Amino acid sequence: MRILPALLLLAFAVPPSLPAADQRPNIVVLFVDDLGYADIGPFGATKQKTPNLDRMAREGMKLTSFYAAPVCSVSRAQLMTGCYGARVSVPGVYGPGNKNGLHPQERTIAEYLKDQGYATQIIGKWHLGDQPEFLPTKQGFDHYLGIPYSNDMQKIAKESGKQVVPLVRDDKVLELLTEEDQSRIEERYTEEALSFIRANKEKPFFLYFPHTAVHTPIHPGKAFAGKSQNGRFGDWVEEVDWSVGRVLDTLRELKLDQNTLVVFTSDNGPWLVKGADGGSALPLRGGKGSTWEGGMREPSLAWWPGKIVPGTVCDAVAGTIDLLPTCVKLAGGTVPSEPTIDGRDISPLLFGKTKESQREAHYYFSSYNLQAVRQGPWKLALTPQSESLGKGVATDTKSGPRLYNLDDEIGEQTNLADKHPDIVAKLQALAAKMSTEIGGSTPTSRRPPGEVENPQLLYPSNEAPRDKKKTAPKERHLPSADLSTLKPGDTLTSDAAPQIANRSFTITCTVETTQPDAVLIAHGGASAGYALHLRSGHVVFTIRYGGGESFTEVQSPAPITGSTRIVASLSQDRTLTLTINDQPATTAKAPGLISRQPQEDFCIGHDNARPVATYKSKAKFEGTITGLKIATP
């Protein structure tokens, strides 16, 4: 008579993270774009109502220290591969027609789950390359419907002459959407998601639903326009909440809820410079594009009735890089030890088996620059940090490491480095090890990027892809790097320009102009390069090593007048040095050398590509630039 109780005990002893083969859980990842920490009800929002997310939190778990990345493409690469973006050479944001993307040889979460017999679909924003080799159907997804990059990356369609983005079905452009058309995009995505769930109710499925909302431009559907108390941004958040409700209600209706893990999170923090269209990360500091908590710590929920205890809260450090190993484990698969992934299985956290983080530390990368590291409550900021994309470096971050106790002060205001030198030293050692592996310009364990020749836009347009910039007819291209003959308005192709990849270099020239703001020399674009320019009369030397705020600059202490000799250098030890008329030099520390040769034109007196630096003016240079030399070892 004791056999039955023993069998019952044995049944409940089976870990919920190891389901039987015929009970592999369905997995749904709801990934919102540019949603801030305080933008949904469970994390404090009041001006927009999110009843479905509120219910999801009551029935599931709030993850309060769940991290993504500062910007779009990096965040998506991390979710797909279980690796920091720096490890898989996804440093910034991919635009339309970019030659780079996630390398096809990287194994994605969809590929692992497909191996376990899962149906797989992505609906929404892919943003890991729009060339055929990089599209989702080449990365483990059976089907795709969505805008393949950000909804503001519009180009002029050749046929209509209108600004559009493509809506892609699998690997073909289904239609071209104007901004007005975007008001139905969340409704169309949601209908597609419900159809996928219904079509695959008899077998395990993986639905990756990266919403276009709430990235600008903001276009809520007609049923939601004007409904919230927070303008059109709040309206679109409420539409996202409606979409979440439709997905969860469908799972309940089909009686799949008891066998489905649903994770809700965001790709990065709110775009603060967009004002009312940008959302809120309070009480966190910073926003999108930064490595402050507000740039990377996301409002996150996990839901699995019968498995995740209702109304629970997890404060342990976790993140999008942990979803791949977690989901593969739940599906009955294994992740091989090679190639390296950075994430860990967090099912023990989800199922209440532990309250401890499953990783030794979390690393905050901006492009290839490791800017901070967290272990437990302690976060050590290593470099200057900008507050948000489009904003400059915060004034209280310009010197020395900064140590914050996030349990005591989530807003990162009080530097405790002087009081805890032992913790600083421990975190510096962790950071140095990780930076050696995948950071800076000479990493030991970084895998290559995906790259194609002759990238094309997905649809006919009068605009060239970013990697195929046309030269303005008035520019004079020189065939070789004879810099002494250059004059303002001239350009060199990348091949003819000084080759500075992974090299120290020194720029020398003499400048005379009455313009307070002007470009002197520029070589590079949005992800790598350097520039010498004037800002309010001051000479500024900028080194760019990634998208957004991933740059370092040094500025002359006083405005220049008359004929001015300038010497600017980036040395092997990462020091930027700027000397004006042989006066005492001004210096700053860069994260490393420029890791690749800029592919854009080398320009004198202008910048004809995406700006390397933040220029106050792009007006035509008026004056002289003579004696130009760029010396490399």
Side-chain angles (χ1 to χ4, degrees):
M1 296 298 293
R2 294 182 181 180
I3 295 177
L4 181 58
L7 289 174
L8 287 172
L9 286 172
L10 181 61
F12 279 101
V14 175
S17 58
L18 295 173
D22 59 350
Q23 292 183 331
R24 289 163 295 176
N26 307 307
I27 297 166
V28 178
V29 176
L30 306 172
F31 204 46
V32 188
D33 199 351
D34 288 4
L35 189 75
Y37 198 74
D39 285 335
I40 62 173
F43 286 79
T46 57
K47 291 184 178 180
Q48 55 261 8
K49 305 301 181 184
T50 57
N52 294 295
L53 289 166
D54 296 345
R55 180 181 176 184
M56 185 178 176
R58 290 194 303 271
E59 295 178 354
M61 174 179 283
K62 261 177 67 173
L63 299 134
T64 64
S65 289
F66 196 84
Y67 291 90
V71 292
C72 303
S73 297
V74 186
S75 191
R76 291 153 210 281
Q78 292 186 173
L79 194 157
M80 283 292 101
T81 66
C83 299
Y84 291 107
R87 188 177 295 281
V88 294
S89 293
V90 180
V93 175
Y94 297 130
N98 198 298
K99 69 179 180 180
N100 293 119
L102 181 65
H103 200 294
Q105 291 183 2
E106 291 293 342
R107 292 272 290 167
T108 69
I109 183 174
E111 289 173 296
Y112 280 108
L113 293 177
K114 194 175 178 70
D115 287 348
Q116 297 303 119
Y118 277 64
T120 59
Q121 179 155 357
I122 168 177
I123 301 167
K125 177 180 175 180
W126 170 240
H127 217 172
L128 288 172
D130 66 344
Q131 299 306 289
E133 295 88 341
F134 304 140
L135 289 174
T137 51
K138 301 294 177 61
Q139 295 280 16
F141 288 97
D142 298 325
H143 296 291
Y144 173 47
L145 177 71
I147 300 170
Y149 33 71
S150 297
N151 62 328
D152 64 342
M153 292 182 171
Q154 300 154 329
K155 297 287 185 182
I156 298 174
K158 191 170 186 178
E159 183 174 339
S160 68
K162 295 181 178 180
Q163 293 267 6
V164 298
V165 289
L167 181 66
V168 174
R169 166 78 71 182
D170 294 337
D171 59 356
K172 304 294 183 185
V173 175
L174 184 65
E175 60 188 275
L176 298 178
L177 305 178
T178 64
E179 277 207 27
E180 292 73 20
D181 296 330
Q182 290 189 30
S183 63
R184 284 203 63 231
I185 196 64
E186 287 296 324
E187 178 186 353
R188 295 177 70 173
Y189 285 171
T190 304
E191 290 171 353
E192 183 81 5
L194 303 188
S195 296
F196 171 75
I197 292 171
R198 293 184 185 282
N200 293 280
K201 62 183 179 181
E202 301 298 334
K203 65 177 182 178
F205 60 79
F206 171 52
L207 171 61
Y208 174 42
F209 191 166
H211 292 258
T212 288
V214 286
H215 194 287
T216 61
I218 306 293
H219 288 289
K222 290 182 180 179
F224 299 90
K227 298 296 185 181
S228 78
Q229 298 176 9
N230 198 21
R232 58 188 180 183
F233 176 84
D235 298 344
W236 223 9
V237 173
E238 291 193 358
E239 186 170 12
V240 168
D241 179 77
W242 164 84
S243 174
V244 172
R246 292 294 309 279
V247 169
L248 298 185
D249 284 345
T250 301
L251 293 172
R252 295 182 184 106
E253 173 198 335
L254 299 175
K255 302 189 184 307
L256 299 175
D257 52 322
Q258 301 279 321
N259 194 41
T260 304
L261 169 64
V262 181
V263 176
F264 175 95
T265 188
S266 176
D267 66 339
N268 47 247
W271 203 345
L272 298 180
V273 296
K274 296 296 183 179
D277 283 347
S280 170
L282 293 176
L284 308 181
R285 182 174 179 178
K288 174 180 179 175
S290 81
T291 52
W292 297 102
E293 293 297 287
M296 296 176 55
R297 192 165 171 173
E298 312 305 335
S300 304
L301 304 171
W303 180 88
W304 187 351
K307 297 289 186 179
I308 294 176
V309 178
T312 50
V313 177
C314 175
D315 296 323
V317 173
T320 53
I321 61 173
D322 300 314
L323 292 180
L324 183 149
T326 302
C327 294
V328 173
K329 178 73 175 294
L330 293 174
T334 57
V335 178
S337 58
E338 293 292 336
T340 299
I341 71 164
D342 299 298
R344 296 292 182 268
D345 171 23
I346 59 169
S347 59
L349 288 171
L350 299 179
F351 300 141
K353 301 299 183 183
T354 182
K355 294 184 178 181
E356 300 299 321
S357 176
Q358 301 302 286
R359 284 186 276 120
E360 181 180 32
H362 186 79
Y363 298 91
Y364 301 68
F365 280 91
S366 177
S367 183
Y368 296 128
N369 178 22
L370 180 56
Q371 294 193 340
V373 56
R374 178 180 176 182
Q375 187 178 63
W378 297 105
K379 178 178 178 180
L380 183 70
L382 305 158
T383 70
Q385 296 165 280
S386 63
E387 293 286 357
S388 179
L389 191 66
K391 292 187 177 182
V393 171
T395 57
D396 62 342
T397 71
K398 292 186 177 180
S399 62
R402 301 167 310 283
L403 182 68
Y404 304 106
N405 186 318
L406 298 177
D407 283 356
D408 292 344
E409 185 186 49
I410 200 171
E412 298 177 277
Q413 297 294 329
T414 305
N415 181 7
L416 302 173
D418 290 345
K419 296 182 179 180
H420 300 280
D422 53 332
I423 295 174
V424 170
K426 180 181 180 182
L427 294 179
Q428 284 177 325
L430 289 172
K433 181 176 181 294
M434 181 58 80
S435 189
T436 297
E437 280 190 33
I438 60 176
S441 59
T442 56
T444 60
S445 302
R446 183 182 300 156
R447 302 199 285 272
E451 184 171 325
V452 300
E453 295 182 1
N454 302 314
Q456 304 290 327
L457 291 176
L458 289 173
Y459 55 94
S461 170
N462 293 321
E463 300 181 57
R466 180 186 299 180
D467 290 306
K468 282 195 167 187
K469 288 292 183 182
K470 294 181 179 179
T471 303
K474 292 184 179 179
E475 296 170 355
R476 183 168 68 102
H477 279 258
L478 301 183
S480 65
D482 184 7
L483 304 187
S484 65
T485 67
L486 293 175
K487 60 185 180 181
D490 286 343
T491 64
L492 293 170
T493 64
S494 177
D495 291 341
Q499 302 297 297
I500 52 82
N502 292 316
R503 290 171 140 186
S504 59
F505 62 94
T506 300
I507 304 170
T508 305
C509 63
T510 299
V511 173
E512 187 165 5
T513 182
T514 58
Q515 289 176 288
D517 304 295
V519 179
L520 304 178
I521 300 164
H523 189 197
S527 60
Y530 59 95
L532 201 60
H533 55 108
L534 298 178
R535 182 188 296 151
S536 300
H538 298 261
V539 179
V540 182
F541 180 38
T542 301
I543 299 293
R544 177 168 288 283
Y545 46 87
E549 297 295 318
S550 301
F551 62 84
T552 301
E553 62 182 30
V554 60
Q555 177 175 298
S556 65
I560 64 171
T561 57
S563 180
T564 303
R565 185 173 185 270
I566 302 170
V567 180
S569 65
L570 173 61
S571 65
Q572 197 70 34
D573 69 356
R574 304 179 290 114
T575 301
L576 268 70
T577 303
L578 180 62
T579 305
I580 306 298
N581 289 332
D582 299 320
Q583 296 298 308
T586 305
T587 63
K589 209 73 171 178
L593 302 177
I594 299 174
S595 61
R596 65 174 178 82
Q597 176 71 2
Q599 297 303 299
E600 297 79 3
D601 291 338
F602 177 92
C603 303
I604 304 297
H606 67 297
D607 188 341
N608 70 358
R610 290 177 65 94
V612 178
T614 305
Y615 308 129
K616 288 191 69 174
S617 172
K618 295 182 182 178
K620 180 181 178 182
F621 177 80
E622 297 177 358
T624 60
I625 302 174
T626 58
L628 176 61
K629 296 180 181 179
I630 298 183
T632 56

